[in-house]
Amino acid sequence: MQLSPPNLSIIVSHVIVSACGIDLADTHAFSQPGFFFNEPAHLRQQGNTAHTILAVNQLTRCIDGRCTFFQRNQQVVSPLAAPFGSIEFVPDLPDTVLVELIQRLIKLAETTGATSIRLVNYPGCYAPEQTTRLLDQLARHGFRTTATYENFHLTVSQQPFEQRIISAEQRRLRKCRAAGFRFAQWFPPDIFAATTFIERIHQQRNHAQTIAPAQLTKLIQTFPDRFPLFGVWDVGRLIALVVAVRVSPGILYYFLPVSDPAYDAYSPMVLLIDGLWTYCQQQSIALLDLGVSLNSDRTPKPSLMQFKRNLGAQTSLKTTVERLL
């Protein structure tokens, strides 16, 4: 995609830059370890109708704030194909710069001919201070909340996982161990076997797939370090699997968990999350994101929510906002 001439605005410490395309985001590095879904490499996987807005620090020449949005029908959206997008920024970004970013977003969206903007924000636990500031400023600029979900996460400590879960889940964990089930990172993964297993389990449980096997295959092949696979085996039989996402150095996202219904009496997902907890300890990952708990129609799923609470999970809000143009 050919870039249009960048628009520039100077606000004391920062330059606001905007252009059609994603290439602009390659010109400077984000000034802290950012969220993978907002990195140019992943944005290019989402689509080719992108617009990028950056707040570039004039002193460091690094990006302190960013947003990439896409056109979908008559709506401007961020993200197009990811769990979240929206405006990401460093904690010390001045409010004046954040306001200019939002105003530039609105103005640029208006030029596309779209009738509305839709932003899916990252869970509040990822960046509590930024989330509060962002939602407040978006509300001041005419955005309204259209969806709010409880997002579950584990704050990883050096405590053994078994000691933090309720007694019923402890019994299930011990039952899995007594049966000889084995947790391991699947490396290198058999991607075809993994995607086939996911597809089969979704069919057996009558669950809609959130990502096509071909698209998942491409992501794992393109970003093997970002999409690690973990499984539980009964001898040589795969009985539970999760495709995780290394969202940032300190965050691991529990993205696509599935387990064989024939083993529901054992609850092998408890053993799998126990293994992920240990992996996070070993990799210095502070937050294990267990995600939202929804049915296929996007309504809350109480049984899954209770399961995560039983594991000691905390909650924060994941919010979607929209604004008419």
Side-chain angles (χ1 to χ4, degrees):
M1 179 183 293
Q2 186 175 0
L3 296 180
S4 59
N7 281 314
L8 299 158
S9 297
I10 298 178
I11 307 180
V12 188
S13 59
H14 291 75
V15 177
I16 304 296
V17 187
S18 62
C20 179
I22 296 168
D23 293 347
L24 181 65
D26 290 318
T27 58
H28 302 276
F30 199 61
S31 59
Q32 66 180 28
F35 302 142
F36 172 60
F37 298 121
N38 289 331
E39 294 289 337
H42 191 275
L43 292 169
R44 289 190 177 91
Q45 303 290 314
Q46 296 186 42
N48 58 6
T49 57
H51 297 262
T52 300
I53 308 168
L54 306 175
V56 181
N57 188 307
Q58 294 191 89
L59 179 62
T60 66
R61 306 307 300 164
C62 290
I63 298 168
D64 283 354
R66 61 185 178 182
C67 179
T68 296
F69 66 79
F70 299 82
Q71 293 172 251
R72 182 173 60 194
N73 300 324
Q74 294 300 305
Q75 192 173 53
V76 158
V77 297
S78 178
L80 180 64
F84 63 80
S86 193
I87 299 173
E88 181 182 1
F89 58 99
V90 298
D92 59 354
L93 185 76
D95 276 339
T96 52
V97 183
L98 178 58
V99 167
E100 178 67 12
L101 257 177
I102 294 170
Q103 292 175 348
R104 178 63 61 82
L105 167 63
I106 295 169
K107 291 176 182 177
L108 191 56
E110 288 173 339
T111 67
T112 69
T115 58
S116 65
I117 307 172
R118 180 176 185 266
L119 303 177
V120 180
N121 290 296
Y122 32 87
C125 60
Y126 280 25
E129 179 187 343
Q130 290 99 305
T131 299
T132 299
R133 288 177 59 198
L134 177 61
L135 292 177
D136 178 66
Q137 288 294 347
L138 289 173
R140 291 170 184 264
H141 284 81
F143 286 81
R144 62 183 183 87
T145 299
T146 56
T148 301
Y149 300 109
E150 281 191 288
N151 193 88
F152 291 79
H153 69 276
L154 296 172
T155 302
V156 180
S157 68
Q158 291 307 306
Q159 180 185 28
F161 184 68
E162 187 172 352
Q163 293 181 8
R164 62 175 288 120
I165 63 180
I166 68 168
S167 56
E169 302 302 340
Q170 290 176 348
R171 289 192 294 271
R172 293 184 178 98
L173 181 58
R174 293 165 188 164
K175 186 176 181 180
C176 288
R177 290 171 176 165
F181 300 161
R182 175 179 59 89
F183 166 86
Q185 182 176 357
W186 199 350
F187 185 81
D190 183 333
I191 301 176
F192 177 76
T195 56
T196 300
F197 179 76
I198 292 169
E199 189 172 23
R200 176 172 65 82
I201 298 303
H202 280 153
Q203 290 173 351
Q204 290 178 345
R205 294 189 181 276
N206 197 29
H207 291 169
Q209 287 199 224
T210 56
I211 183 171
Q215 184 182 0
L216 179 59
T217 297
K218 183 179 180 181
L219 287 171
I220 298 171
Q221 290 175 336
T222 306
F223 308 107
D225 294 337
R226 292 286 193 166
F227 287 85
L229 275 66
F230 302 88
V232 173
W233 284 264
D234 178 7
V235 190
R237 177 177 177 177
L238 179 64
I239 64 173
L241 174 71
V242 66
V243 179
V245 186
R246 191 71 178 265
V247 177
S248 73
I251 301 173
L252 186 70
Y253 174 40
Y254 176 77
F255 174 42
L256 275 175
V258 289
S259 65
D260 190 330
Y263 286 80
D264 280 355
Y266 289 92
S267 194
M269 297 309 292
V270 180
L271 180 62
L272 192 147
I273 296 173
D274 171 74
L276 290 179
W277 176 270
T278 301
Y279 175 83
C280 288
Q281 290 175 326
Q282 295 169 344
Q283 298 294 318
S284 299
I285 298 172
L287 192 148
L288 176 55
D289 178 10
L290 300 181
V292 296
S293 305
L294 304 175
N295 292 302
S296 57
D297 61 356
R298 304 295 293 176
T299 58
K301 188 171 184 177
S303 60
L304 184 54
M305 296 168 75
Q306 187 58 53
F307 171 68
K308 293 175 182 179
R309 291 192 185 99
N310 291 348
L311 302 180
Q314 302 166 283
T315 62
S316 64
L317 296 182
K318 184 178 181 185
T319 304
T320 299
V321 298
E322 295 186 16
R323 184 190 190 278
L324 296 178
L325 297 173

